[in-house]
Amino acid sequence: MDTGRDPFFSHSSWSVNLPGTAQYVFAQAHKAGNQSVSVLSAARDEIDFADSTLLYPVGVAALSVLVLLVQLAFHLRTQRNAYTKPAESGPSPLAEPLHAPEESENASALAKHVKEHGGAVIIAFNLVRSGSTLALLGMSMYSATKALGHTATLEPQNSQIVIHVGTCITYLYASALSIASVLSGPILSTTVVRHLNCILVLEWAAYAYRDLWPLATFTLEPIDLDEGALLWTRLALLTLSAVFVPLLIPRLYIPFDPENPWPDPHPEQTSSILSLWLYIWLDPTIRLASRVEHLTIDMLPPLADYDEAHNLMKSSVDELDPFRVKTKGRHLMWGLLRVFRADWIILTILTTVDTTTEFIGPLAIRYILMYLETEGVGATVRPWFWIATLFFGPIFDYIFMAALSFISTRLLTRVEAIITQLVFEHALRMRIKADASDESAKSEGDTTVAGTPDTASVADSSATTAQENGNDNDSDSSAGKGKQKSTATAQTVPAPAQRPEIVGKEETGKPKDDEKKGKNVVGKINNLISSDLASLGNGRDFVVILVKLPVEIICCVWFLYAVLGWSAFVGLACIVILFPVPGLIATMIRKIQVAKMKKTDARVQTATETMNVIRMIKLFGWEPRVTEQLAEKREEELELVKKNKLLDLINGNLNHVIPLVTMIATYATYTMVMKRELTASAVFSSITVFDTFSSLMHMVLGFVPELIRAKVSLDRVNEFLQKTELLDEYSEQPGEIQTQIGAQPEEDVIGFRNTSFTWANTASGSAASTPGSGRSNFALRIDGDLIFKKGSINLVIGPTGSGKSSLLMALLGEMHYIPAGPDSFFNLPRSGGIAYAAQESWVQNETIRDNILFGAPYNEERYQKVLEQCALKRDLELFAAGDETEVGERGITLSGGQKARITLARAIYSQAQTLLLDDVLAALDVHTSRWIVEKCFKGDLVRGRTVLLVTHNVSMASPIADYVVALGTDGRISSQGSIANALERDRKLAAEVAKEEAEIEKAEATVDEQAPEEVPKEDGKLVVEEEVAVGHVGWQAMRLLFGALGGNHQVFFWFSFIGGLMLYMVFNILETWFLGFWARQYEEVPASEVNVPYFLGVYGLIMIISTLFYVAAFYVYMYGTLRASRVIHNELMRSILATTLRWLDKTPTSRIIARCTQDIQEVDGPVARLFSVLTEMSLEMLMKLGVVVVISPIFLIPGVFIAAVGGWIGEVYMKAQLAVKRERSNAKAPVLGHFGAAFAGLTSIRAYGAQEAFKKESYVRINRYTRATRAFWGLNRWVTVRITALGSVYSAALAAYLVYGKSITASNTGFSLNMAVGFSSMILWWVRIFNELEVSGNSLERIKQYMEIEHEPKATPEGVPPAYWPASGDLKVEKLSARYSPDGPRVLHEISFEVRSGQRVGIVGRTGSGKSSLTLALLRCIITEGKVYYDGLPTDNINLDALRSNITIIPQVPELLSGTLRQNLDPFQQYDDAVLNDALRSAGLFSLQSDMTEGRITLDTPIASGGTNLSVGQRQILALARAIVRQSKLLILDEATSAIDYATDAVIQSSLRQELDTGVTLLIVAHRLQTIMDADKIMVLDAGNIAEFGKPSELLKNEQGMLRALVDESGDKETLYAMASDATGSH
């Protein structure tokens, strides 16, 4: 190489100052040779730059010695401290840093040493390196001796002596380090190896510069060539020890927690650097995937310990949890940046390096073309070097990119896990309030939501900390939720508050009516951890914007300046001028994205709520109308999606236009202003850079919307964490409560003094109500003292909606506490434990046994007692799997009574000293209730425990009560003390109780409660495993997309889209060719004759035409994607709504919701986008390969070969990746399911103090998801590196052929190389995009699965009944049989009966007799045989929606929708208010509210999702009113009044007799015999057969009859006989 010609190498005359250590070595060597010191300076002057390279390792070695000594000092000090620790603190982490001691005493020291160092392989590599360094030491000593021995005098060799002696000392030190790495302990060994690697790598670099680089030049020769074979041996040994060993040696496993190393570490923690860079550690997974049909999650690499959810939370919670962050109110983003600051720094460095390496390719092309232009004249570097650079450059670039992606995706996975857990843990602190919007509120203004406290009061801090740690049973905490509360500032009960704001939502102007409905916070949170986390993932690489953009622009301008002079700055000016345009569009995209997410929330909420009440929708025949509602929501969302896509299209065009405008401006300036010739080397190297810049713009502008979406999502998560309304103990402001010692109750007191409680904190402006309160501004007021009796049973009684449940909630700290004076307090001791049984029984999707144990240790004797006392033994005998039966989601395999008794059993089994039981007797029949009272409440398991029992069953529970608290309808305590005292003070209550006693006596002969009639499976399993498709995404799933894209205009759509794209590609390639053609003009004619304006004009015209075709093609495609999104969503919803009840029973709701949320989002976004990108790339690659083949036909074969190998790699990769993606999708559903289950029982979880157990379960599920996610991203990079290497081989081979093989012009070579580099770099992206499409297509597959589920018969024109039908309620049943599944047993056996219009028929029977099955069979909800005639028409010929619309069933568990009461009674706006109010009167609501002065339930009362702001009794009244509104001729009541107090039940029964139209037929399934004894007929069912059917008076005459036996056993058979005879007389 001619170093004088190249400015970079023109420093050969530099005088190099030796490092101080080298000077010292030099001086010592000369002293040894008795030389004068003056020789030193002479020698230093003789050393030139090339020679000095060998002295750099010497200087580094000297520095290493100093650093190592400091590290050794610290190491010894640490060890000394570790050894002096007390023995009980356990072994020192330094002494046993890696593994728990597993070896026996006799294990050899050698084996232990090998194990500590990570195994024999690492030791072997270290020995090889030691051998190499010793050999290098020998060689350097031999070289020094030889060099010194050949000279008679030392003067000419002064510099040589310095170099040789310095090198000998360096190798001696390296040898010592290499031996120490084998012999020392693992921690010291790791440190030593780092020093050794630095020295050896620098030594290798010095020799590479001296002796390898000259081989790549025309002008230089290796400096040490005279050493002959010794030189190449030294280089080989250096390459082995400095390059191969560090790259190939496995790394030592360093555990996250040295005290708890994992037995099976993740391969990425132990694999070599090369394996890590090239993802070789994933090869076993890839091979396994190719051998098995489906790769399960357990076959994937294990989770790394630093990715385990608990460890992640441990290391990040102090910076992210709003209650632990020192800077209150700080945005979540700053916390994430702080937690992962090391990762962000590494990402910044890697991005910078990766960006720089992108320019190796253009540099190589430039020098290859310059060589061809000049035919090698004056060239310094040989062309093979640039060809090799063209091969290795992209590989290095992608290795850095792989490292970048590795850290970036690992970071993403960790952030996903942390945010999921953070949201979950924060949700455990939420106030469970119903998010019901007050429709009557007209205020358009924003409301604020109580935020996380800026500070916590000193008095509360300890308790708060305890709560955060989940220590709910902390013995130090004795007040409500572990706190004692009092105040010195009197407060009044809040006035009716504003409509509540939805947690975490920005609320601007009031949307349309349908959005005024209350929003379900569970749906909101599900969206946070599914859709929003996905958006965060898409926006993870924001470092690209902050680092890559400026670095790449600087590199582009520098490169272009070197090639095109100052015209490059003109191009830069164009960029700067045009850059605000994308910024403007980005702002618009952000606004639309925020609005779109709100619409998505609304749709997801509607879909979630629909799925939660889908049984009711099917029973009422509402499917068509609900489908319409969902389609409307979808349309609103798609309108914003359309705007988003239009802006994305404009954004995409800017990506093309800005770089092209830049090119035109630059070339015009270069040729017309600078008057320079446009050569091929200048054109094609600058085109490559402009392409790089274009792809950067493409990436950045494409990424900006993703970044915006990510920011919106991060803001939503942050808002949830900062602004959710929390329980008082978390959300109190410091001045709100002042603790006064005088007001503190004794620690074991349970009760209140002078307090009020509301469901919403008035500071928040929210007044949503919750279980137990009947109105939005309900307040529980306690005047004076209310102290419950310890160790006794305390009854809480009162009419429906009086606030009985609220009293328990207030004690648990679930309500907002408003003290009335300085002596106010409320207290619930936590030290002995709390158990709580909710009115709405809460069971988990586990076995019956697991539900009862609830994490407590199993005690056989206690467990059996609990089963006996809670009357569960007989129920368990009915299940084939006994207590191992899975209860299913929301307990669908259990009856209401069974769920209530399991919830009670959980409380009884627990060791808690205080039991809060909320109306546990409501869902039970009288027999079972009496059993519970006699056996359980009087039993040994309850004796001595404090019980607070809310009940309507006053007369049954009063004998066991030691203390009674009665509430009035105004939420105040009407009396307290003995039952006699309560009755004396409340005449109305006394009258009710007297009536109840009589009714209970009448009902003593009632039959058992209902239970599911189907026979469970032997193993107790109900919920089927989620389907996981295997192999590639099916053609059927993709055809679903293709068919929907084209709609009814398939030919037009595909012709426009593909044709437009092809024309765009042709003009795009023409642009590049035309530039080459322009450059060739300068070779063929004088520069003055080249018509520059003409060439610029044509070039600009080609550019404009190509952009127009691009816009046209994608405009057509955009409308196709919107059509596809609409069609696929509507078909999915139609399919799910048309399925059978059996399918719904065995499919968890979370799976259905996952299809409606994340899978639909995939179709809206990635699937549509990736398909268009894939189509565009496929056409472009074909065109580019075609161009290469036209210029160099011989390269058709390599092109096909590369494509084939790329395809094979893609195929192998896809086999693994599809399986992993499917497993990842399926691992997400249990995380969502756990959230749903926890929110459903949040009050119970908090009462039991079970937050920690739920957090741990959350960790397990998140870890499973993380394991699949890490493998997913790893496989993504595995394919990247391999395909890139393939593309590089192709480009380098073509370059070699064009340079050394075929003689063509420089411009054609440049054009060909440009196309080849484009083609080869696109192979990778094509395979990746194709794979990503298949992976995202998994969502299409999952949607397709739910379109092909079992369906009920579709509506047909023949099935539409006549307009007059039904004119009467006549019902005739002939030989009706029924079963739940096609192969299941019959649950009804050929039953026949007839009911005339207007008759009331009571249906009774023991558990499993078929009562509920009969009601479902009449509605054709299960598989039936035989005939049912309704008003003369056979029901099997009538469309299901018509049939169910004309029969009304009121199920045992009433279901309500969010919105107003009016929307619940009349969801489709068919009736006026007068009709609705009449229905409420008939249902008994007005008589219930007759003595209420404020806050009555009206048509405008907001109802929360599921009706959670009403008591269960109120919900049943409203469900009854809804049934009356429908005015069906056939009304079925399935235990519909089980949770209503006896007085209200009597009002309802009276209403049903008097208010209903005389033609309405009533079928009543009942527990209470007095409910149906005055019916026209009574049907007694037994094991699916009709045992008796007839008038009650006639049935009672049969002395052997079942009804007669039941009545005769009762305590008041005379009254029952009288009712039966009255009924006969009245009809």
Side-chain angles (χ1 to χ4, degrees), residues 828-841:
L828 179 65
R830 289 269 171 183
S831 52
I834 307 290
Y836 169 69
Q839 182 176 12
E840 275 188 280
S841 308

Side-chain angles (χ1 to χ4, degrees), residues 457-490:
S457 69
V458 177
D460 299 337
S461 60
S462 61
T464 304
T465 307
Q467 175 62 18
E468 282 166 8
N469 295 330
N471 300 332
D472 285 339
N473 296 329
D474 192 329
S475 58
D476 295 338
S477 310
S478 59
K481 267 302 202 185
K483 287 164 69 167
Q484 297 166 343
K485 300 177 172 65
S486 58
T487 186
T489 53

Side-chain angles (χ1 to χ4, degrees), residues 829-906:
R830 289 269 171 183
S831 52
I834 307 290
Y836 169 69
Q839 182 176 12
E840 275 188 280
S841 308
W842 175 65
V843 288
Q844 292 177 270
N845 191 354
E846 306 284 350
T847 63
I848 291 174
R849 175 182 290 195
D850 288 341
N851 268 290
I852 294 172
L853 298 182
F854 199 55
Y858 179 69
N859 178 324
E860 175 69 26
E861 184 187 353
R862 186 179 182 87
Y863 181 71
Q864 292 303 329
K865 269 190 187 176
V866 168
L867 292 183
E868 175 67 27
Q869 293 182 13
C870 293
L872 281 167
K873 286 212 163 177
R874 180 160 178 246
D875 295 272
L876 294 183
E877 287 164 10
L878 292 171
F879 293 116
D883 64 358
E884 290 300 318
T885 303
E886 281 189 3
V887 304
E889 197 173 25
R890 300 195 303 276
I892 53 177
T893 59
L894 306 172
S895 69
Q898 287 167 333
K899 277 194 279 191
R901 280 178 286 132
I902 287 171
T903 306
L904 174 64
R906 180 193 302 139

Side-chain angles (χ1 to χ4, degrees), residues 1021-1037:
K1021 289 275 183 193
L1022 171 84
V1023 177
V1024 293
E1025 287 293 319
E1026 183 154 18
E1027 321 78 13
V1028 179
V1030 294
H1032 282 280
V1033 172
W1035 166 245
Q1036 292 296 324

Side-chain angles (χ1 to χ4, degrees), residues 102 117 157 246 957 973 1066 1137 1207 1222 1311 1345 1480 1512 1550 1577:
E102 295 170 4
H117 279 72
Q157 299 295 326
I973 306 297
V1066 168
L1137 287 168
R1222 286 166 178 146
F1311 180 53
Q1345 281 172 355
L1480 288 173
V1512 177
S1550 168
K1577 289 186 177 181

Side-chain angles (χ1 to χ4, degrees), residues 41 81 127 365 406 418 443 560 691 694 771 798 817 867 992 1014 1141 1193 1197 1212 1311 1330 1463 1465 1550 1615:
S41 56
N81 291 342
L127 286 172
I365 289 176
F406 173 78
I418 287 170
S443 166
L560 291 170
D691 276 351
S694 176
Y817 166 58
L867 292 183
E992 268 190 34
E1014 63 179 293
L1141 288 182
I1197 297 163
V1212 172
F1311 180 53
F1330 180 80
Q1463 287 167 326
L1465 296 182
S1550 168
T1615 311

Side-chain angles (χ1 to χ4, degrees), residues 787-803:
I787 308 296
F788 293 98
K789 201 167 179 182
K790 292 279 287 181
S792 309
I793 293 180
N794 299 263
L795 278 198
V796 180
I797 59 177
T800 301
S802 60

Side-chain angles (χ1 to χ4, degrees), residues 428-432 467 481 483 724-732 812-815 1246:
L428 291 176
R429 308 173 183 137
M430 274 168 48
R431 186 188 303 288
I432 293 296
Q467 175 62 18
K481 267 302 202 185
K483 287 164 69 167
T724 310
E725 188 174 336
L726 307 173
L727 295 183
D728 281 358
E729 68 182 285
Y730 298 110
S731 59
E732 284 165 4
L812 287 168
E814 296 286 328
M815 293 181 76
R1246 288 201 282 241

